[in-house]
Amino acid sequence: MKKTIADAVVDSLINAGVKRIYGIVGDSLNAVLDSVRRSGKIEWIHVRHEEVAAFAAGADAELEGSIAVCAGSSGPGNLHLINGLYDCYRNRVPVLALAAQIPSDETGSGYFQETHPEQIFQECSAFCEVIMTKKQMPRTISMAIQTAVANSTVSVVILPGDIAALEAGEDEVPEQTSYITKPVIHPSEEELAILAGYLNAGKNVTLLCGAGAKDARKELMELCSILKSPMVTALRGKEYLEDNNPYFVGLTGLLGYSSGYKAVMDCDVLFMLGTDFPYRQFYPENATILQVDIDASHLGRRTPLTYGLCGTVKDTLQKLKPYLTIKEDTKHLEKSVERYVKDRKELDGYAEFKPGHTPIHPQYVTRLINEMASDDAIFTCDVGTPTVWAARYLELHGERRLLGSFIHGTMANALPQAIGAQVAAPDRQVISLSGDGGLSMLLGDLLTLKQHQLPIKVIVYNNDALGFVELEMKAAGYLETGTDLSNPNFAAVASGLGIEGIRVDNPEDLPAALERAFMIDGPVIVDVAVNRQELSMPPKISLEQAQGFTIWAAKALLNGEGNKIIDLAKSNLLR
């Protein structure tokens, strides 16, 4: 049998170390699927929605540290990939999407399922090209893979079904289709001296660290020791820097708490390292602000800088250390740590329960999950309140990981990312913290857990509402509209799908239910009835937000909904 272009594509993927492709079959993908089947070296992970395929590939790439692949058939099939690919693109993970296309000679005719993916995918990819001739292979695939790997980004290759089935050209598929490099990147000696001057002159220096600092834990500990600095993290930096860190004083921003917020606001020098933290209202107005980022285009785009430098955090700090003067004054650090201990105690107090007190506090749910999960558990969390509770109550010690849609901020990410995580790490515990709105949006892919026997534990925060949206409405002074969810019993739904389902309505039953779920060797859905009126307050309440709550309360009274105010007070004041 002669080698086809599809064979060349699959050979290139195998040589790049690709082990699986996430997607849904379609006639325009037939040649590729047949090549995958014949190769015997790549597994096809059959999901129920292509959006899930892209999310799962992103989680796979995040955990494996190498390129992952998803695929969609022509028109609607590959269009479904787009939201997941946006998330991968913004999370900066290496993903290759194979977007099948209509027959090449029908292009431009308004043919069945015709779209223009070479235009549609431009904004969520760094490489997007169409293969139309056999001479383009295997170079196009190699370029796509190298772009994705080199820049931790998304590449899209568009392949008409008829072209995929053609006989391949004479160009051999290279044994090595990607080149992973680790360059040393740091500022010049002159720049380092200027940076050190600002740090040495500061009396109260605070570090704000993100995921870009993940490889520099040792260097950051040394820097905090020299500068006597507290360390605040953005959410994506938490999993790398929180554990066993005497300088850690919490998170700031909408998901943070007051200790992290105050450590940033009380400093005279804020040193941003590997973070593109977006919320401008949480930056100090009168401090010297310094920033180090591998992407120079990020410098100063969130807040005006005193000085910005390009480099990796690890390489920069190694070169910076000889320029620094050891500080003796520890007041700023000690005060920040004291606040953190106090805030942590207060937050933990919210995670307690009273017997018979229903509905269940979501903080209590997350605290128990944290206590029972393994030291190498992989958590995924839906956007909204599950992300808030994950940020505040999951301890990311050991080899634990936390994945979410922290930049793109899309609903329904937790279950798909859990699928990719479990496929990539079959021997690790994977726990999805799913909102009822997020889970129901892509509910069909519970069937993927059953079909592939993925032992994911899905914890559903079921409050019959789009809870975080309701909080945003209250803060803006609007009455809740369009946020009600008429939910099923998700445990019963799971049972109907052949998956173990557990429903929990009383807090007394929750520990045993979670313990049982974690002991089962297979997928489990734990449907927990949680409090709809639970407030997840940010560390800073603006005047506009305070006014918004007042307006909301007045509107609720005038519209005969005073019971909502009473429920809100009972839930958050009478615990």
Side-chain angles (χ1 to χ4, degrees):
M1 183 176 181
K2 294 182 179 180
K3 179 175 288 189
T4 65
I5 289 177
D7 291 332
V9 169
V10 172
D11 286 347
S12 296
L13 297 181
I14 292 170
N15 290 351
V18 173
K19 302 172 185 174
R20 49 199 159 259
I21 301 174
Y22 300 86
I24 298 179
V25 299
D27 62 341
S28 54
L29 276 171
N30 281 346
V32 174
L33 263 292
D34 187 62
S35 181
V36 167
R37 177 188 62 81
R38 287 185 283 102
S39 77
K41 295 181 180 180
I42 292 181
E43 182 182 8
W44 180 262
I45 306 297
H46 181 194
V47 298
R48 300 305 176 103
H49 195 294
E50 288 91 348
E51 182 177 350
V52 173
F55 275 119
D60 188 320
E62 179 77 32
L63 292 174
E64 291 277 276
S66 59
I67 193 165
V69 180
C70 58
S73 56
S74 60
N78 62 58
L79 286 183
H80 282 161
L81 294 169
I82 197 163
N83 193 45
L85 291 181
Y86 259 101
D87 192 78
C88 296
Y89 181 70
R90 301 194 72 188
N91 275 346
R92 300 189 69 173
V93 290
V95 168
L96 171 65
L98 297 177
Q101 178 59 305
I102 63 170
S104 58
D105 59 357
E106 296 289 354
T107 302
S109 69
Y111 191 73
F112 176 67
Q113 293 189 330
E114 181 175 9
T115 60
H116 294 88
E118 68 278 12
Q119 300 174 24
I120 293 168
F121 289 101
Q122 284 290 341
E123 194 171 306
C124 63
S125 65
F127 181 98
C128 184
E129 296 295 340
V130 186
I131 294 176
M132 294 297 287
T133 71
K134 61 184 181 181
K135 289 185 177 181
Q136 288 179 270
M137 277 297 298
R139 184 177 61 172
T140 299
I141 288 289
S142 295
M143 291 168 60
I145 292 172
Q146 182 60 26
T147 299
V149 168
N151 299 311
S152 292
T153 191
V154 171
S155 288
V156 178
V157 171
I158 301 153
L159 183 61
D162 60 318
I163 300 296
L166 292 178
E167 183 180 346
E170 297 179 358
D171 291 343
E172 292 290 329
V173 173
E175 291 186 9
Q176 185 170 354
T177 54
S178 64
Y179 303 88
I180 300 173
T181 64
K182 296 181 180 180
V184 175
I185 304 173
H186 59 76
S188 67
E189 299 293 333
E190 180 182 357
E191 291 172 313
L192 291 168
I194 295 172
L195 175 63
Y198 287 117
L199 293 171
N200 291 333
K203 294 182 179 180
N204 299 322
V205 180
T206 294
L207 307 188
L208 176 58
C209 305
K214 65 181 181 180
D215 297 324
R217 180 183 170 90
K218 174 178 176 290
E219 288 76 12
L220 287 168
M221 296 300 109
E222 292 176 347
L223 181 65
C224 287
S225 176
I226 292 170
L227 300 178
K228 305 301 185 287
S229 298
M231 183 190 300
V232 179
T233 70
L235 178 56
R236 294 182 69 210
K238 171 183 166 77
E239 65 176 315
Y240 307 108
L241 300 170
E242 175 188 46
D243 181 37
N244 196 28
N245 181 350
Y247 307 101
F248 179 75
V249 295
L251 284 69
T252 186
L254 299 173
L255 306 177
Y257 24 100
S258 61
S259 58
Y261 171 75
K262 289 179 180 178
V264 169
M265 290 301 177
D266 289 352
C267 71
D268 61 357
V269 176
L270 178 65
F271 192 13
M272 299 168 59
L273 294 144
T275 182
D276 192 34
F277 181 74
Y279 302 107
R280 291 183 290 172
Q281 67 269 37
F282 291 96
Y283 284 101
E285 294 183 0
N286 300 314
T288 295
I289 301 181
L290 313 170
Q291 184 177 6
V292 172
D293 200 291
I294 187 60
D295 188 342
S297 69
H298 289 182
L299 299 177
R301 76 172 179 173
R302 303 305 182 190
T303 188
L305 299 179
T306 304
Y307 200 53
L309 305 95
C310 180
T312 66
V313 176
K314 184 182 181 73
D315 297 332
T316 299
L317 293 188
Q318 287 177 348
K319 288 290 185 178
L320 177 66
K321 184 178 176 180
Y323 292 89
L324 298 174
T325 302
I326 297 176
K327 296 183 184 294
E328 302 295 334
D329 189 348
T330 61
K331 291 180 182 178
H332 178 53
L333 173 60
E334 291 173 355
K335 187 177 181 180
S336 298
V337 171
E338 288 173 5
R339 282 175 178 158
Y340 173 64
V341 172
K342 180 181 177 181
D343 280 2
R344 190 68 263 168
K345 183 177 180 180
E346 183 177 344
L347 286 170
D348 291 342
Y350 292 138
E352 301 295 334
F353 82 97
K354 294 180 181 178
H357 187 88
T358 59
I360 301 168
H361 291 300
Q363 298 96 320
Y364 177 57
V365 179
T366 318
R367 193 202 87 194
L368 289 181
I369 293 169
N370 176 67
E371 292 173 355
M372 295 183 182
S374 63
D375 286 342
D376 68 345
I378 302 167
F379 301 96
T380 65
C381 58
D382 267 330
V383 161
T385 51
T387 294
V388 177
W389 310 134
R392 296 181 180 179
Y393 291 98
L394 292 182
E395 297 174 303
L396 300 180
H397 53 69
E399 297 180 17
R400 287 182 172 183
R401 298 294 308 273
L402 175 62
L403 307 180
S405 185
F406 302 138
I407 302 176
H408 189 47
T410 181
M411 285 180 64
N413 63 283
L415 175 64
Q417 288 177 325
I419 289 170
Q422 191 71 85
V423 171
D427 297 326
R428 292 176 68 174
Q429 183 183 56
V430 177
I431 302 171
S432 173
L433 308 184
S434 296
D436 46 2
L439 179 64
S440 58
M441 183 177 281
L442 290 171
L443 188 64
D445 267 275
L446 288 177
L447 290 166
T448 301
L449 309 190
K450 175 68 175 177
Q451 181 161 339
H452 289 280
Q453 283 301 299
L454 302 175
I456 296 166
K457 315 309 175 191
V458 180
I459 316 300
V460 188
Y461 292 74
N462 190 346
N463 61 5
D464 293 315
L466 299 174
F468 200 79
V469 178
E470 285 194 338
L471 180 60
E472 291 172 325
M473 286 182 170
K474 289 183 177 78
Y478 296 104
L479 289 178
E480 302 94 310
T481 305
T483 58
D484 287 335
L485 296 175
S486 180
N487 286 330
N489 180 323
F490 288 106
V493 171
S495 297
L497 299 176
I499 298 172
E500 187 75 24
I502 304 171
R503 170 76 179 189
V504 184
D505 293 291
N506 296 305
E508 295 94 333
D509 300 330
L510 186 59
L514 290 175
E515 186 174 352
R516 176 186 161 201
F518 291 157
M519 290 293 291
I520 293 173
D521 184 20
V524 183
I525 282 72
V526 183
D527 184 9
V528 187
V530 297
N531 184 17
R532 179 171 182 167
Q533 298 292 352
E534 201 76 40
L535 291 178
S536 54
M537 303 301 287
K540 176 188 177 183
I541 305 296
S542 68
L543 177 61
E544 291 80 8
Q545 289 170 325
Q547 290 172 338
F549 266 101
T550 303
I551 294 169
W552 167 80
K555 286 181 178 179
L557 286 171
L558 291 172
N559 283 271
E561 299 178 356
N563 60 306
K564 290 184 177 180
I565 302 174
I566 295 172
D567 289 343
L568 189 71
K570 285 182 177 179
S571 296
N572 296 278
L573 299 177
L574 305 176
R575 303 181 72 89

